[in-house]
Amino acid sequence: SIWEDLLGLEHVGVKDGFFELGGHSLLAARLAARIQQETGLSLPLAVLLENDTVRKQAELLPANSTKSKMSLEFIPRANRDLLIPASSSQRGLWFQYQLEGPSSTYNISSIFRLTGKLDVPALERSIQYLITRHDSLRMSFTAVDGVPYLTIADTPEWKLEIRHSLGQIMQQELIQAAAKPFFLEQAPLFRAFLWTDSSDQSTLLFSFHHSITDGWSQGIFETELSSVYTSVISGAEPAL
């Protein structure tokens, strides 16, 4: 079942509670996406949280809700030459930025300790592939009459910042890199840092502004990066 897949369990009873089995809000968001994918029915996250057992959620689904009966409509690609309205949460982050100025308050960081030989050029190409793939990684804000809009850059200036410090100095640099504020008018609103040494030990840090990501989106980014990097080092075309 969907629950078993998401929770990594062999068996889930119809009366078992989602959170009692180890679920959390990010998994609940993934659950909502899977239900929509499988049945074509979009259930608000708040409704799923209120109905936190398999039986209760099954009762929310019409008897004839199957993927085979789902009608798919073509969604045209947005014109990137036009300004894109910001979402309500993005507007809130923008206005907070106007009040406080650049701040690390809404930075989201991920740190990875890597062991083994790392192909740094392949890693750079893999990240660049994802920048091209995802508009959010090329996004910035612009204001028109005080109202924030989104703009998507074709090729924002970006590079993997490589450093070679170790020990306490590296720890200090990690903290500083994670806390470095973003200017929301300047794309990209994410950074990547790599610390390497001669013993095949590396530390990789990604820093994002919350306006372009959340915990679930980060998981997608990390999964795709692993897949693309594997393809690049093997000489294959990424298959996403």
Side-chain angles (χ1 to χ4, degrees):
S1 71
I2 296 175
W3 275 43
E4 291 167 349
D5 289 342
L6 290 178
L7 295 169
L9 300 175
E10 294 184 359
H11 176 72
V12 173
V14 295
K15 295 182 179 180
D16 291 336
F18 184 74
F19 294 99
E20 294 173 356
L21 295 175
H24 48 75
S25 58
L26 293 178
L27 274 180
R30 293 177 61 187
L31 175 63
R34 284 286 300 275
I35 290 175
Q36 184 173 15
Q37 181 183 14
E38 296 291 334
T39 69
L41 183 65
S42 177
L43 295 175
L45 184 58
V47 172
L48 289 181
L49 296 178
E50 292 173 2
N51 298 271
D52 65 342
T53 68
V54 173
R55 173 172 291 176
K56 290 180 179 179
Q57 291 181 5
E59 292 173 351
L60 298 173
L61 303 176
N64 63 347
S65 62
T66 62
K67 187 177 179 182
S68 61
K69 296 184 179 182
M70 194 172 71
S71 62
L72 301 178
E73 297 182 3
F74 173 73
I75 301 176
R77 182 177 177 83
N79 186 345
R80 294 305 184 223
D81 293 329
L82 302 177
L83 293 173
I84 303 168
S87 69
S88 59
S89 61
Q90 287 171 330
R91 290 195 299 270
L93 291 169
W94 167 261
F95 291 126
Q96 195 72 25
Y97 172 75
Q98 296 302 301
L99 291 172
E100 298 181 355
S103 166
S104 63
T105 302
Y106 296 102
N107 286 16
I108 299 177
S109 299
S110 298
I111 299 177
F112 302 90
R113 309 290 184 178
L114 310 176
T115 301
K117 183 174 177 57
L118 179 67
D119 188 328
V120 176
L123 176 62
E124 289 182 298
R125 291 198 300 273
S126 301
I127 297 173
Q128 185 61 57
Y129 181 94
L130 294 182
I131 292 173
T132 302
R133 172 177 169 82
H134 293 290
D135 288 350
S136 61
L137 299 179
R138 294 178 280 113
M139 190 196 88
S140 61
F141 288 77
T142 188
V144 178
D145 296 329
V147 179
Y149 290 86
L150 309 179
T151 55
I152 310 299
D154 291 330
T155 53
E157 293 186 10
W158 173 87
K159 68 175 182 177
L160 177 63
E161 299 190 35
I162 302 174
R163 304 178 181 182
H164 301 285
S165 54
L166 301 172
Q168 189 63 33
I169 295 177
M170 185 189 75
Q171 295 300 323
Q172 292 174 354
E173 290 181 353
L174 275 168
I175 294 171
Q176 292 170 355
K180 185 177 181 180
F182 289 95
F183 293 86
L184 298 191
E185 305 90 345
Q186 300 175 11
L189 298 179
F190 93 102
R191 303 185 184 99
F193 302 84
L194 178 68
W195 285 261
T196 63
D197 60 33
S198 58
S199 63
D200 288 341
Q201 300 290 322
S202 303
T203 300
L204 182 62
L205 167 69
F206 291 107
S207 179
F208 301 82
H209 191 269
H210 187 36
S211 61
I212 68 167
T213 193
D214 54 20
W216 188 18
S217 299
Q218 274 190 286
I220 294 173
F221 174 85
E222 293 159 10
T223 299
E224 290 189 352
L225 178 60
S226 176
S227 175
V228 173
Y229 177 77
T230 301
S231 297
V232 170
I233 61 176
S234 64
E237 185 69 21
L240 295 179

